Each structure stands twice: as C-alpha cells, then as structure tokens.
Amino acid sequence: FVATTDPNPKHAGAGLDLLKNAEVEVALAPDSVRKEAERMNFIFNHNMRTGGPLIALKLAESANGMVAERSGYPSEVTGAEAREDVMRWRRLFPAICVGAGTLSADDPSLTSRLPDETWCPVRILVDSSLSTFGSQVVPRKVYTDEFSDRSVVLTTSKGMGNIQRVARAKDLGVRLVEVGESDGGGVDPSSMLSLLSELSL
C-alpha cells in the first residue's frame, strides 16, 4: 500500500515496477491519503518539482500590526506555545536567514532548541555593510557560539571594502561571501537563492 509516489523523476515509479515484476500486489492510496502524505514531505517535494529551495517567512506582529514596541529593540510579541512551535518548524529547514537589523537588535542564536536536543541549521546573515562587525559592536552569538562554523555572512563590495570589519570577521573565523548589490544598496535577494543552491540547501 503506497501513500504517494516519489516526485524525483529518476526514481518515480521504479520501485513500484520492481514490486509488481516480483508479483507483489501494489495499491496506491486514495487522494485524501496521498495529499496528507505529500504534506508530510512538502519541502523535498517542492525541491524536486521546482528545482529550487522552499523558502518560508516567519513573522510575528502584535494586534496593532507592530513587530516591535520600539524600533531597534527586541520585543516579546509571541507567547510560549508559539515559540515552541517555531522551534519544531525550524528543525525542518536546513538554513535560516536574518538581516543585520535583527542580528543587532535581538542577538538571536538561530538554533532549534527542542527538549531533547539543540540543532543548528546553516545560519545565513545578510549584512551588506558588515555593520555587525563594527568596532563598537559586541560580537553576536552566531559568530562566537559552538555552532559558529555554520554561520555565513552575505555582504556586498561595500562591506568587503571595509578593511577593519573584514579583519574582525576573519579574526572571529566567520565566513564572508560577497554577492550582488540591489538597486537600494543592500544584498540582491536573488543572490541568496544562488547561495542556497551552491550550499545544496
């Protein structure tokens, strides 16, 4: 009894044919079961069908539409249940990405902290000017914790041109990747997709 077929064209149906040729009875599940099974493996299925990574946006806002009480300062917008749910979801994704603003204001660890383990995805930090490596900035957790080798900073030629900040990143052992610049001077979003493909994420 097969819940759903493999969307990978290299394998789709091949296993079923082997079973049938070996005279094993094969039955495909009805649509209701197939849809549920596909939902359980939606990240892989998306990658197989589109050739690109599945990108999810996590956003929390208060009832009045704000994401923080004061700009530049962390605010506890979500409750305990929502935070626990985010940790479970985070465990499903091989990479997580935040910008320099979040990194500066919240100093997040960007790990999946579950009751029985702490798991760390690849942490992609978008910092076009390498502001998080400024001389007055205390090194962020993602640059100094036990998972620091899983942190990758995307920056632009502007960031790479700041010798002091580049040197500080190298002293911390943080990997810098120069990518294209958007019209507004930030990191070009399309370059993030290229990096995900390069890292096989």
Side-chain angles (χ1 to χ4, degrees):
F1 187 76
V2 181
T4 183
T5 54
D6 191 336
N8 186 339
K10 293 180 181 177
H11 306 295
L16 304 186
D17 290 340
L18 284 172
L19 291 170
K20 289 173 183 175
N21 291 338
E23 299 184 355
V24 174
E25 184 180 349
V26 176
L28 293 176
D31 284 349
S32 59
V33 175
R34 178 185 55 78
K35 287 176 182 175
E36 190 175 335
E38 287 183 351
R39 176 71 181 149
M40 291 173 67
N41 207 21
F42 71 100
I43 296 174
F44 174 78
N45 292 345
H46 174 86
N47 180 260
M48 282 294 109
R49 289 178 179 140
T50 67
L54 175 76
I55 296 176
L57 172 67
K58 175 254 181 185
L59 180 69
E61 66 177 22
S62 60
N64 63 351
M66 306 297 287
V67 295
E69 293 171 329
R70 284 195 302 155
S71 180
Y73 293 88
S75 298
E76 195 169 281
V77 177
T78 53
E81 275 188 44
R83 287 193 297 274
E84 287 174 14
D85 192 45
V86 166
M87 291 298 142
R88 289 191 292 271
W89 273 101
R90 192 176 285 178
R91 184 64 181 87
L92 298 176
F93 288 83
I96 186 169
C97 176
V98 298
T102 296
L103 208 55
S104 297
D106 297 349
D107 193 17
S109 62
L110 305 179
T111 56
S112 174
R113 298 174 296 284
L114 301 170
D116 56 345
E117 69 168 339
T118 295
W119 180 79
C120 186
V122 172
R123 300 177 293 192
I124 300 171
L125 304 318
V126 180
D127 189 353
S128 60
S129 64
L130 297 183
S131 60
T132 56
F133 295 99
S135 58
Q136 304 302 313
V137 180
V138 174
R140 306 288 86 187
K141 290 174 191 169
V142 293
Y143 302 150
T144 59
D145 67 11
E146 61 185 303
F147 305 111
S148 60
D149 62 330
R150 297 186 63 73
S151 295
V152 180
V153 178
L154 300 189
T155 190
T156 63
S157 58
K158 175 176 58 181
M160 294 302 283
N162 191 314
I163 298 169
Q164 289 82 11
R165 292 179 181 181
V166 169
R168 192 171 187 212
K170 288 183 177 177
D171 287 345
L172 290 167
V174 178
R175 179 181 171 192
L176 302 178
V177 176
E178 183 179 344
V179 295
E181 193 173 305
S182 67
D183 292 339
V187 166
D188 181 359
S190 64
S191 62
M192 286 188 266
L193 295 176
S194 302
L195 178 71
L196 291 174
S197 298
E198 180 187 322
L199 294 174
S200 299
L201 298 174

